[in-house]
Amino acid sequence: METVIRGARNVKRKPVRSIGVIIIIGFSLAIFLTSSIVASSIEAQAAALEDSLGREIIITSSDVSFDRSASIDEDILNLTNNISTIESVQTFVTDIDRSGINEVLAQGGPREPGALRAALRFISGQNLSSELEGFVSEELVLVNGRMLNDSDTGSNNVLLGVDSALANGILVGDSIQLNGFSLNVVGLVSGDVFQTNATILMSVETAQIITDTSGFDKVVVTIESIELIDDVMNILKSEYGDELTIQTASEQEGDNIAQSIDTIGGNADLGAMAALFASMLVVGFIMVIITKERVNEIGVLKAIGLPNTKIVTQFLSESIFMASLGFFVCIIITLVAGPMMQTMLIESGSDDSSTSEQGSSPQFSPGQILNPTTESSSMDSITSLEFSVDAKSIVTSLGLTVVIGVIGALYPIMGALKMQPAQALRYE
Amino acid sequence: MSEVRVMKEGKKSKKQIESTLEEKNSSGYDTDSLENILSIEQLKKRVTDQFGEDARLILDSIDEVEGIILRREVREKGEFDDSKAIIHLSGLSKKYQSTGMSPVDALKEVDLSIVEGEMVAVIGPSGSGKSTLLQMMGALDIPTSGAVRINFQELSKMNSKQLTEFRSQTVGFVFQKFNLIPNLTALENVSIAMESTKMNRQERRARAAELLKEVGLNERMSHLPGQLSGGEQQRVSIARALANHPKIIYADEPTGSLDSRASKKIISLFDRIRRNFNTTIIIVTHNHSIAKHCDRTVKIKDGRIR
């Protein structure tokens, strides 16, 4: 109690400077606290994401290059249909044959051939199903026209990404030519999902006809229960293990989003470490200055015969008191500005990841656009993380506060204690 | 020797003095000093009866007269016995060495003895080494050479713990700038000096309150130094110096920051302390009028005692 009273008197003696110091301490700690909260939230979310993806198995070609045709034989459906524990099967066809895409001609032709190439990059087919809600998903926004449904299976009705439509002056109701097929644009779509705006979306059967393939690029199998996934994996691997890549969605998702999560988590960790370092440096420096100003007092206490232990205890407790006030400010700043800082950190990570994927060798997997369990949807779940200050982070910050208070004050105190009392009394 | 004994008797309590006087009457032991004290005691009683509440102030003045008589006798009749010196310095030198500067001799081969209960003024111009001398005697600094023996103990042979205990128990310091801890009240500033003792918090506070009352600050105990006048701060500083019943009080320019009225009060306070507790008091000062209140004046110039 005496320490609190003495500390309060210290603040009262030099109110402007003391409040400034407390705010600086609070702000420094707040950066650390926020960064560590974001880092731990992302880790927790990533773990939750893995759990949610646990029931899915993704089958793709072992050949990871983009210049391939559908390489999963339709026979796979015979196998999956016979496994009773499989809840549903989604099939995808993606064509990234640029020469084929470049043949796409809007009525009146593209305004700029380069723009077409840039704007229209993929053909994506997915099996339409009422049960699976066809193309309708949270990530896909209908801008104009209508969505595809079961009745569009095998038809020449397609959806066009809005960027491609704008670049080529295409409207709903227009026809486009692709690989000699005339396709009707029944809707324009947009979305945050990777490359949605540069894709022609259609049923998997239509895509097979246009690309002249009979198989799929990707098959997603959903199991009834996570406990049964190993059994199904074993069956699939025993049949296709040599020719296809069979992995759980969490594994593939883990691969896909690892970079993004690493980036975001890395940013958060880096932010936390930098903030920790900066906090310790700033607060330590402030404590050094404050305590150095009081070397004279240490000299007095030595001159009146106070043992070093008592002097250290008194000064440290006052220093910790000051740092503790900073801690309370830190909590307030964290609660107010934390969510904003979290968004900034995550956006920086997302930007980094999308930049890397828009390069010349995109790691785009077939069907990624329409699969709700895609990297982008995972990223969305991360960007929508709720910011909450947990007890662990508070205890960590409080511990840090004490450490900073102690280290910052201890250095000049020990220096002053080494002086002869007369020297400390003369100290300016 | 007899002068020393007379002086010590002069600082005994009234009861002791009366007892001595009875002894004198029965044994025929006779000194002029004791007669002086007798008359002063009678005078005190008469003044107290007549002036009641204000008696204390007048008694203080009488105490001063008493002190002057005793000190005059000491000065006129002889020297102290060095073997009984509570402070003994021999060949004490202190050299300050600053980076890039030539060394400065603050003290040069200083020899000095001060007996218990003596009040000594150390006087000299600025930079003459007065404060350095005080710091050496108070174990606040280490001499370059020479020996400091305080209360029959060689300071150079003490370890850090012993020196801390020495500063706490044997000596008390009063500084020109008071050097009170700014975030502690007057009471806390005094009681903090007792934190190294075995007294509990209550006892420390009670003792601090008693001392503050003694120096006339019983109504200012909960004030912070910034809320006290210079004279009041110095009285807190004196109360702090007295906290652990020190044998010696070192006062470095104790009135240097005070006006003449406050200065007079402080000197009067030192006089009373010396008389009541038989405390040896060493006062560093520029002020010759303060020196006149002391038993002895030590003049120092260029680090040497003249």
Side-chain angles (χ1 to χ4, degrees):
Chain A
M1 189 60 195
E2 275 184 24
T3 303
V4 173
I5 294 169
R6 288 175 190 179
R9 285 180 195 151
N10 275 339
V11 172
K12 203 176 166 188
R13 264 173 69 204
K14 294 181 178 174
V16 175
R17 194 192 66 172
S18 299
I19 290 168
V21 165
I22 290 164
I23 289 172
I24 291 170
I25 292 172
F27 191 73
S28 305
L29 286 171
I31 295 172
F32 165 72
L33 183 58
T34 305
S35 304
S36 57
I37 288 170
V38 172
S40 58
S41 297
I42 288 172
E43 282 170 19
Q45 187 69 14
L49 206 60
E50 275 193 18
D51 287 346
S52 71
L53 297 172
R55 290 196 301 134
E56 289 183 352
I57 295 170
I58 296 175
I59 304 162
T60 53
S61 165
S62 297
D63 177 8
V64 294
S65 75
F66 277 82
D67 294 325
R68 68 179 190 274
S69 55
S71 53
I72 303 174
D73 195 274
E74 274 187 322
D75 288 347
I76 197 167
L77 296 178
N78 296 330
L79 177 65
T80 53
N81 287 337
N82 287 331
I83 301 173
S84 59
T85 54
I86 290 177
E87 191 176 273
S88 66
V89 178
Q90 286 178 276
T91 52
F92 302 88
V93 171
T94 304
D95 188 282
I96 47 82
D97 182 348
R98 288 162 194 261
S99 60
I101 291 171
N102 288 339
E103 288 177 15
V104 175
L105 294 174
Q107 286 179 339
R111 291 171 187 167
E112 293 177 26
L116 180 64
R117 281 197 296 276
L120 186 59
R121 294 178 63 187
F122 303 104
I123 298 166
S124 183
Q126 182 183 348
N127 51 326
L128 303 174
S129 160
S130 302
E131 192 181 343
L132 296 174
E133 297 179 345
F135 286 109
V136 182
S137 72
E138 289 178 9
E139 289 75 32
L140 208 60
V141 178
L142 185 68
V143 177
N144 200 6
R146 67 170 178 84
M147 282 291 188
L148 297 178
N149 54 41
D150 284 353
S151 64
D152 295 310
T153 301
S155 73
N156 60 352
N157 293 338
V158 297
L159 300 176
L160 185 61
V162 70
D163 286 352
S164 298
L166 288 172
N168 298 284
I170 298 168
L171 301 172
V172 172
D174 287 347
S175 294
I176 56 175
Q177 301 295 316
L178 183 61
N179 287 358
F181 290 88
S182 177
L183 301 172
N184 299 323
V185 177
V186 298
L188 301 181
V189 288
S190 178
D192 293 333
V193 184
F194 186 71
Q195 298 290 352
T196 299
N197 296 344
T199 306
I200 305 172
L201 311 172
M202 60 197 76
S203 73
V204 69
E205 289 78 5
T206 310
Q208 283 174 331
I209 294 166
I210 292 171
T211 57
D212 193 25
T213 56
S214 58
F216 317 107
D217 295 304
K218 176 179 171 181
V219 176
V220 177
V221 176
T222 305
I223 316 299
E224 285 175 351
S225 154
I226 193 167
E227 288 79 23
L228 302 170
I229 198 157
D230 285 342
D231 296 338
V232 178
M233 284 282 282
N234 289 337
I235 295 169
L236 292 170
K237 279 187 175 177
S238 65
E239 190 69 29
Y240 296 105
D242 295 335
E243 50 190 292
L244 299 173
T245 298
I246 301 165
Q247 51 190 173
T248 60
S250 58
E251 285 170 343
Q252 193 191 58
E253 188 72 9
D255 292 342
N256 287 338
I257 66 172
Q259 192 178 354
S260 298
I261 286 186
D262 280 355
T263 308
I264 296 167
N267 285 353
D269 282 341
L270 199 68
M273 291 308 292
L276 174 66
F277 181 72
S279 304
M280 296 200 77
L281 209 65
V282 170
V283 179
F285 183 70
I286 289 169
M287 288 302 175
V288 166
I289 301 277
I290 289 175
T291 313
K292 278 213 169 215
E293 282 181 358
R294 300 181 69 190
V295 166
N296 203 263
E297 285 178 36
I298 294 173
V300 173
L301 294 176
K302 285 192 75 161
I304 64 172
L306 225 63
N308 287 355
T309 47
K310 295 257 181 191
I311 297 173
V312 170
T313 307
Q314 182 172 331
F315 275 77
L316 282 189
S317 56
E318 288 181 24
S319 171
I320 291 170
F321 172 78
M322 188 73 125
S324 301
L325 289 181
F327 171 73
F328 286 112
V329 173
C330 148
I331 295 293
I332 294 166
I333 293 175
T334 303
L335 289 173
V336 174
M340 197 173 67
M341 287 161 74
Q342 174 175 274
T343 306
M344 282 165 61
L345 269 170
I346 290 176
E347 279 180 1
S348 68
S350 305
D351 291 347
D352 288 350
S353 100
S354 60
T355 302
S356 70
E357 296 210 10
Q358 282 173 347
S360 56
S361 300
Q363 297 180 3
F364 177 78
S365 68
Q368 189 177 24
I369 300 163
L370 301 175
N371 185 353
T373 56
T374 61
E375 174 189 353
S376 295
S377 61
S378 305
M379 288 306 301
D380 286 348
S381 65
I382 289 171
T383 49
S384 61
L385 275 181
E386 190 182 337
F387 185 83
S388 61
V389 182
D390 60 328
K392 187 185 162 192
S393 303
I394 289 177
V395 170
T396 308
S397 296
L398 189 60
L400 182 68
T401 306
V402 174
V403 169
I404 287 171
V406 168
I407 293 174
L410 205 57
Y411 168 69
I413 290 173
M414 296 315 284
L417 287 178
K418 281 179 192 165
M419 293 180 189
Q420 288 297 320
Q423 194 187 351
L425 283 167
R426 282 194 299 269
Y427 192 86
E428 294 286 337
Chain B
M1 277 299 290
S2 65
E3 286 79 4
V4 173
R5 204 171 77 202
V6 167
M7 190 193 75
K8 285 183 180 173
E9 283 178 358
K11 278 168 259 152
K12 285 177 179 172
S13 67
K14 283 181 186 178
K15 201 171 180 181
Q16 286 173 310
I17 291 167
E18 283 164 9
S19 161
T20 310
L21 289 171
E22 280 170 15
E23 194 182 300
K24 172 199 171 251
N25 291 337
S26 59
S27 65
Y29 182 76
D30 183 32
T31 69
D32 289 344
S33 302
L34 287 177
E35 282 170 2
N36 284 333
I37 290 166
L38 175 66
S39 59
I40 287 166
E41 287 303 307
Q42 287 168 341
L43 183 59
K44 276 183 182 178
K45 190 173 183 309
R46 283 169 61 186
V47 169
T48 309
D49 291 344
Q50 191 173 344
F51 293 97
E53 293 280 317
D54 298 328
R56 183 173 171 163
L57 287 171
I58 295 169
L59 284 174
D60 281 349
S61 304
I62 294 169
D63 282 346
E64 278 191 44
V65 174
E66 181 191 18
I68 291 165
I69 293 167
L70 288 168
R71 286 191 293 274
R72 189 191 63 206
E73 287 175 359
V74 169
R75 276 199 297 269
E76 286 174 357
K77 293 185 178 176
E79 294 177 352
F80 297 126
D81 183 352
D82 277 358
S83 67
K84 291 187 175 179
I86 192 169
I87 299 170
H88 184 75
L89 314 178
S90 59
L92 188 71
S93 296
K94 177 67 181 178
K95 196 175 279 189
Y96 288 114
Q97 177 74 65
S98 303
T99 316
M101 307 278 281
S102 52
V104 175
D105 289 311
L107 290 176
K108 297 169 192 167
E109 299 289 326
V110 170
D111 297 316
L112 180 66
S113 292
I114 295 167
V115 293
E116 189 173 6
E118 198 176 1
M119 188 156 155
V120 176
V122 179
I123 200 160
S126 293
S128 57
K130 305 185 297 291
S131 296
T132 306
L133 181 67
L134 213 61
Q135 286 163 1
M136 298 298 148
M137 292 194 288
L140 298 189
D141 210 346
I142 302 167
T144 310
S145 63
V148 180
R149 194 186 72 213
I150 307 288
N151 200 28
F152 312 105
Q153 288 177 293
E154 195 77 49
L155 293 189
S156 62
K157 290 178 181 168
M158 290 184 184
N159 61 29
S160 173
K161 193 179 171 188
Q162 287 168 324
L163 281 171
T164 299
E165 198 178 324
F166 168 82
R167 290 182 201 119
S168 165
Q169 302 299 318
T170 310
V171 299
F173 266 93
V174 177
F175 302 95
Q176 180 181 356
K177 297 278 175 65
F178 327 126
N179 282 347
L180 300 175
I181 307 299
N183 62 339
L184 301 185
T185 62
L187 190 77
E188 289 164 344
N189 260 294
V190 178
S191 66
I192 198 171
M194 292 174 266
E195 282 198 9
S196 55
T197 66
K198 288 177 181 171
M199 296 165 84
N200 65 32
R201 187 170 176 269
Q202 292 285 72
E203 290 168 338
R204 289 199 303 268
R205 289 178 76 86
R207 165 91 179 133
E210 185 189 316
L211 286 164
L212 287 169
K213 197 174 172 187
E214 185 71 28
V215 298
L217 291 174
N218 45 325
E219 288 178 359
R220 312 283 279 166
M221 291 183 192
S222 57
H223 287 68
L224 293 169
Q227 298 166 324
L228 299 172
S229 70
E232 287 172 330
Q233 288 190 58
Q234 196 58 297
R235 279 188 276 160
V236 175
S237 167
I238 291 169
R240 181 179 66 185
L242 288 170
N244 295 323
H245 308 282
K247 284 179 176 292
I248 306 163
I249 286 182
Y250 297 113
D252 191 356
E253 304 271 11
T255 60
S257 304
L258 307 178
D259 59 32
S260 60
R261 187 179 167 159
S263 298
K264 201 171 176 184
K265 275 188 182 172
I266 295 299
I267 294 305
S268 172
L269 187 57
F270 277 132
D271 231 5
R272 208 167 70 229
I273 291 162
R274 192 266 289 263
R275 197 165 36 256
N276 291 347
F277 307 114
N278 195 33
T279 311
T280 307
I281 299 175
I282 319 296
I283 303 175
V284 161
T285 183
H286 280 103
N287 192 331
H288 287 270
S289 66
I290 291 171
K292 281 179 190 167
H293 284 80
C294 298
D295 302 321
R296 192 150 56 111
T297 299
V298 174
K299 290 181 180 170
I300 189 164
K301 192 178 177 188
D302 298 331
R304 289 184 196 278
I305 289 180
R306 304 288 172 179

